[in-house]
Amino acid sequence: MTSSKLLWKRAEIIGCQIKREPEGSTERYTRWINTLTQEQLVTQVFTSHGPTVIMPTWFCSRKWFDYVGKFDEGGKGVPEDLLFFYENLRKGGSVFRVDHCLLLYRYHSEAATHAVLEETIWKNRVAFLEERVLSSWPSFTIWNAGKQGRRLYRSLSATNQKKVVSFCDVDQSKITKGFYTYQESKDKPKPKIPIFHFTDAKPPFIICVKLDLTGGGFEGNLNSLMLKEGLDYYHFS
């Protein structure tokens, strides 16, 4: 049996590549959704982009759909595709993308996806990250000592906050500052998390730096460390 047939047999949610209309809409997102490797369809499920194959392209068996639990019908503002996608993975399902563009996906400002609050998605993403990754890590580093990295730290459970051994960054002003102090903490003294240059930080990493935004600068830094995605780091932003 070919590797492709094995993937199809193992997958529970199957999708495809897409073309955006109008052309150029959500350019970074479209490039991401069309170029993820098969492994990244699973490792990059924590990013702000959402499901690694988009819902309009999904198909699966009725038996599997019923087993996962159908869609959350909570109404406007519920990220039903994200919740179903997460539950698919919890139930042992996999994901597979057909590498052909089989859908013309129209963008418009009134799409239902815009009704979902970013804070709702954030809370679900953090909870899933804690459940699937952080629960088994004894310690880790947050890559990004700026706004997004600090927000993630503050959003973690107390147990997982204690696992954060450092932040890392490339911004010399943040590195020179030396520490991030969690002022909202009720602990005394307040937790102070050291900030290192990324080359001096210790993996594993939760990376809070957006992909495809620095002309390859961030990606080059990450590749220079010779780490393995899904083992030494996960993308979160």
Side-chain angles (χ1 to χ4, degrees):
M1 185 178 291
T2 67
S3 59
S4 178
K5 288 182 179 179
L6 284 169
L7 286 169
W8 276 73
K9 185 176 181 180
R10 193 171 68 228
E12 306 297 349
I13 287 181
I14 300 172
C16 67
Q17 293 175 326
I18 64 169
K19 181 179 179 181
R20 267 305 212 182
E21 176 69 31
E23 190 172 348
S25 303
T26 60
E27 186 174 359
R28 285 178 55 248
Y29 173 73
T30 303
R31 184 160 48 245
W32 179 79
I33 209 74
N34 283 336
T35 60
L36 289 170
T37 66
Q38 177 60 36
E39 291 76 17
Q40 288 173 329
L41 294 179
V42 176
T43 60
Q44 294 200 14
V45 297
F46 308 104
T47 73
S48 59
H49 286 316
T52 49
V53 290
I54 64 171
M55 188 177 69
T57 73
W58 289 359
F59 66 94
C60 65
S61 70
R62 167 59 68 174
K63 182 178 180 180
W64 182 254
F65 181 75
D66 291 339
Y67 176 69
V68 172
K70 306 181 181 180
F71 282 93
D72 187 320
E73 299 294 343
K76 186 177 181 180
V78 174
E80 71 276 2
D81 60 335
L82 183 66
L83 297 178
F84 185 89
F85 188 76
Y86 284 170
E87 195 61 23
N88 168 70
L89 296 172
R90 288 190 180 102
K91 294 287 178 65
S94 189
V95 191
F96 180 69
R97 187 191 65 231
V98 176
D99 286 335
H100 296 281
C101 181
L102 304 176
L103 177 74
L104 179 62
Y105 190 37
R106 298 187 187 278
Y107 174 86
H108 61 93
S109 60
E110 302 304 315
T113 186
H114 300 304
V116 182
L117 296 177
E118 192 274 338
E119 184 63 25
T120 300
I121 295 174
W122 175 271
K123 288 179 179 177
N124 280 287
R125 289 172 55 218
V126 172
F128 198 58
L129 177 71
E130 291 191 301
E131 171 193 330
R132 303 284 289 189
V133 178
L134 302 186
S135 62
S136 63
W137 280 2
S139 63
F140 63 98
T141 294
I142 295 177
W143 190 320
N144 187 350
K147 183 178 178 181
Q148 284 293 96
R150 296 194 305 267
R151 183 187 180 192
L152 174 60
Y153 175 84
R154 293 193 299 268
S155 299
L156 296 174
S157 67
T159 297
N160 285 320
Q161 284 178 353
K162 289 180 171 61
K163 295 180 181 181
V164 179
V165 294
S166 67
F167 290 88
C168 71
D169 213 292
V170 295
D171 186 335
Q172 194 57 47
S173 64
K174 294 184 179 69
I175 297 166
T176 300
K177 187 176 180 181
F179 292 90
Y180 164 66
T181 303
Y182 182 31
Q183 297 291 355
E184 293 87 350
S185 174
K186 295 179 181 179
D187 293 346
K188 292 184 179 179
K190 305 289 186 185
K192 295 179 71 174
I193 315 301
I195 302 172
F196 299 122
H197 190 270
F198 77 92
T199 56
D200 297 319
K202 181 180 178 181
F205 298 102
I206 297 299
I207 298 176
C208 294
V209 180
K210 289 187 180 295
L211 292 162
D212 198 15
L213 270 182
T214 59
F218 162 70
E219 288 81 2
N221 289 339
L222 177 59
N223 290 339
S224 72
L225 298 181
M226 305 293 288
L227 302 174
K228 181 174 176 55
E229 186 171 1
L231 178 65
D232 302 308
Y233 68 91
Y234 285 90
H235 289 285
F236 185 74
S237 281

